[in-house]
Amino acid sequence: MIVPRWEWRSFGQELGEAGAVFAELPVEQVVESTELYVVSATGTDVVKVRDDLMDIKHLQEVSEDGLEQWTPVMKARFPLSPSELDAVTTALGVAVTAPARDEYPLDVVLDEVVGPNPDLLAVDVHKRRVRYRIGGCMAELTEVRTERAATNTVAIESEDPALVMAVLRDLGLATYPNVNFGRGLRVLERFGPERFAVIDVGTNSVKFHIGERTADGDWRTVVDRAEVTRLGDGLRETGRLGPEPTARTVEAIAAMVEEAKQQRVGAIAAVGTAGLRIAGNAADFVRAVQNRCGVVVEVISGEDEARLAYLAATTGLPVRGPSVVFDTGGGSSQFSFGERDRVDERFSVEVGAVRFTEQFALDGVVSDDDLAAALAAIGRDLDRLDGRDPPETLIAMGGAVTNLAAVKHALAAYHPDVVQGTVLDRDEIDRQIELYRTRTADERRSIVGLQPARAEVILAGACIVRTVLDKLGADSLTVSDRGLRYGVLAERFGTRGTAAR
């Protein structure tokens, strides 16, 4: 009698402390093999050829903890019978009208069933599996290599799901996404639709995006939202991240990671920007996130942030002639200068809405003189923009401009397709500056289109945007809803990305 096993597997992970545990365990078995997987863009079962047997494993159930219960349903020698071929195509989730035969050798299956079907891919996979026993479970570290890529996996399995979860918790792996071999192989081979998540940890907000890469290489948005956590509260005064902003930001990230797991993402990329670049205790924050939810936040440079923002903006909007893309956030602003998809210059400056809000008390009613002082200070800090020719295309992104666009359209509910491509001219930005200057933060929250959590920093953000227009001699800008997270998605998980998290 075959008893189904509960399995957990993750691809491309840095094992950290878990690696040290494995290093101390006795090796039970080392197995090397080459197997032929038939990967389906739509099916959920695992179909492979090993030792001249067509082997099918069926996904029976997924537990609340995300463990998967698998059971073998067929091991058939070649040539296959028509009924055995039907079992294969059912497992692959495809409809096949193969020529009628009494039997189907492997080469016929590959030539007449797999080859003509765009939703199927045959992949030779070489594995080196090192097996251990830990906590009553089988554990396996595997080196995986195909013709085009290589990665590694770690797997824990048992008939008892409680034992699997106990081992994962002991190893510090319980928060990592469970990616079965079929899904992981699709990611590795970049075949069929697959979901990936990006978390962008900014000074004022954390942005969360899940994109699904379709078979034709396009991206479909599954989830896209932001949570204002004010990670940078007090950072300018102390040079350190405060315990309360840190705690609420870590919890926000943990909730996003949990949502990503529920959405069955193949991998998660998390990046940190200006606030983490300047905080003296940024490493403590990164460690707290990793301990809480298993995700490593990569603190990227200002130049990388500018480059990724340019990539995001120029793939979503038409670009004509010399162009400038800028992304203004809570702690800094990034600028990229180029033409079409070519970047000629990029830099980051510490000009952010949180800093100027705190410095000039822009979170409430502001006098004309104080507003003029804030604009002058912003202008001084943006002196790297002086003396440049006006660009033919000026694209802006970030929470400030997307909120300005939402207020322009009076969007009671945020609609990214409306915001994307919105043109903001000087008159509209000046109108909104006056709107915010004459209201307290509580009064600003009643403005239709303004995200309530941005009420304190929106005036500073609008002033930065207005100053950029002045410096570049532009009358208007185009808003991109596709911020840094889209650039990270394209680079990490697009044609140049990897399957590792």
Side-chain angles (χ1 to χ4, degrees):
M1 177 181 177
I2 297 175
V3 179
R5 293 176 297 182
W6 291 92
E7 300 182 14
W8 174 94
R9 182 183 298 272
S10 213
F11 276 70
Q13 302 293 354
E14 294 293 334
L15 295 180
E17 294 181 3
V21 174
F22 279 109
E24 296 297 321
L25 293 174
V27 175
E28 286 204 343
Q29 190 180 25
V30 178
V31 179
E32 291 207 40
S33 63
T34 298
E35 302 164 5
L36 176 65
Y37 278 78
V38 181
V39 182
S40 172
T42 56
T44 57
D45 290 351
V46 174
V47 179
K48 65 181 178 181
V49 178
R50 181 169 62 183
D51 299 329
D52 199 37
L53 293 174
M54 178 59 83
D55 187 334
I56 301 176
K57 284 185 13 179
H58 175 65
L59 178 59
Q60 286 199 169
E61 188 178 352
V62 180
S63 75
E64 291 183 357
D65 293 316
L67 300 181
E68 296 179 344
Q69 188 182 60
W70 292 84
T71 186
V73 295
M74 190 177 90
K75 287 183 183 292
R77 290 201 173 275
F78 288 94
L80 302 181
S81 68
S83 62
E84 289 168 339
L85 181 65
D86 286 343
V88 170
T89 57
T90 299
L92 293 170
V94 296
V96 174
T97 55
R101 296 175 180 269
D102 293 332
E103 57 184 31
Y104 295 86
L106 176 57
D107 59 344
V108 170
V109 173
L110 296 178
D111 292 341
E112 297 184 0
V113 176
V114 178
N117 194 315
D119 290 329
L120 299 179
L121 178 70
V123 183
D124 283 314
V125 180
H126 181 78
K127 299 179 184 176
R128 184 180 186 275
R129 292 172 284 178
V130 182
R131 290 174 174 163
Y132 310 84
R133 297 291 298 183
I134 180 171
C137 299
M138 190 195 83
E140 184 179 272
L141 300 181
T142 305
E143 297 173 8
V144 179
R145 185 175 299 277
T146 70
E147 184 177 341
R148 60 172 292 170
T151 188
N152 58 78
T153 79
V154 55
I156 310 291
E157 60 182 61
S158 170
E159 297 168 3
D160 184 347
L163 291 181
V164 176
M165 290 307 303
V167 169
L168 291 176
R169 285 190 290 268
D170 288 344
L171 292 175
L173 300 174
T175 56
Y176 286 65
N178 183 14
V179 181
N180 65 57
F181 205 91
R183 290 179 58 223
L185 198 53
R186 284 205 304 267
V187 175
L188 195 65
E189 293 296 296
R190 310 207 175 282
F191 180 71
E194 187 58 67
R195 292 179 176 183
F196 301 92
V198 175
I199 299 173
D200 169 11
V201 186
T203 308
N204 191 59
S205 65
V206 181
K207 299 179 180 68
F208 177 53
H209 183 84
I210 296 179
E212 183 176 81
R213 190 181 56 221
T214 59
D216 59 6
D218 288 337
W219 289 100
R220 183 182 74 85
T221 296
V222 178
V223 175
D224 193 63
R225 62 182 176 85
E227 184 169 343
V228 176
T229 65
R230 302 294 294 274
L231 176 62
D233 273 356
L235 176 59
R236 287 290 169 181
E237 291 78 12
T238 66
R240 299 176 65 82
L241 303 173
E244 291 185 7
T246 292
R248 61 178 177 254
T249 303
V250 170
E251 287 307 306
I253 294 170
M256 293 170 181
V257 171
E258 183 60 32
E259 185 174 349
K261 289 168 62 179
Q262 293 171 0
Q263 291 284 351
R264 316 293 290 167
V265 303
I268 302 170
V271 297
T273 54
L276 291 174
R277 285 197 291 269
I278 65 176
N281 58 343
D284 294 337
F285 175 85
V286 171
R287 188 160 43 249
V289 173
Q290 186 173 13
N291 290 341
R292 176 68 175 82
C293 56
V295 165
V296 177
V297 178
E298 176 191 354
V299 182
I300 61 176
S301 69
E303 282 204 352
D304 276 345
E305 187 177 354
R307 176 179 56 79
L308 290 166
Y310 187 91
L311 174 63
T314 55
T315 55
L317 291 170
V319 178
R320 297 177 300 276
S323 59
V324 177
V325 174
F326 77 96
D327 183 356
T328 183
S332 66
S333 296
Q334 290 70 44
F335 294 85
S336 296
F337 298 77
E339 191 162 351
R340 297 184 182 275
D341 59 354
R342 186 190 76 242
V343 178
D344 298 321
E345 179 187 3
R346 56 179 179 260
F347 59 82
S348 177
V349 291
E350 291 186 10
V351 174
V354 173
R355 169 190 166 191
F356 287 99
T357 296
E358 294 175 349
Q359 184 176 347
F360 291 95
L362 301 181
D363 54 350
V365 177
V366 179
S367 69
D368 288 334
D369 288 343
D370 287 342
L371 179 66
L375 286 166
I378 294 169
R380 287 191 294 273
D381 283 2
L382 287 175
D383 59 359
R384 289 188 68 173
L385 300 181
D386 291 341
R388 297 175 182 267
D389 294 332
E392 190 171 340
T393 301
L394 177 59
I395 298 174
M397 59 180 64
V401 291
T402 56
N403 272 259
L404 295 177
V407 170
K408 174 183 176 178
H409 295 296
L411 297 178
Y414 188 83
H415 198 307
D417 291 339
V418 174
V419 170
Q420 176 78 352
T422 293
V423 175
L424 295 173
D425 59 21
R426 290 170 179 260
D427 289 343
E428 176 61 22
I429 296 170
D430 287 343
R431 181 189 76 83
Q432 291 196 38
I433 287 176
E434 185 64 16
L435 186 67
Y436 306 134
R437 182 191 72 80
T438 56
R439 285 166 171 75
T440 66
D442 284 341
E443 290 170 337
R444 294 174 190 174
R445 285 185 237 281
S446 64
I447 297 172
V448 178
L450 180 64
Q451 186 181 4
R454 289 193 178 273
E456 286 81 6
V457 298
I458 188 61
L459 177 56
C463 288
I464 293 170
V465 173
R466 183 65 170 82
T467 304
V468 172
L469 282 181
D470 284 345
K471 292 280 185 177
L472 294 177
D475 294 323
S476 64
L477 58 84
T478 302
V479 177
S480 171
D481 175 70
R482 298 185 176 182
L484 173 66
R485 59 201 182 279
Y486 287 86
V488 174
L489 186 74
E491 182 170 83
R492 303 293 171 86
F493 305 124
T495 56
R496 291 170 292 172
T498 69
R501 186 177 94 187

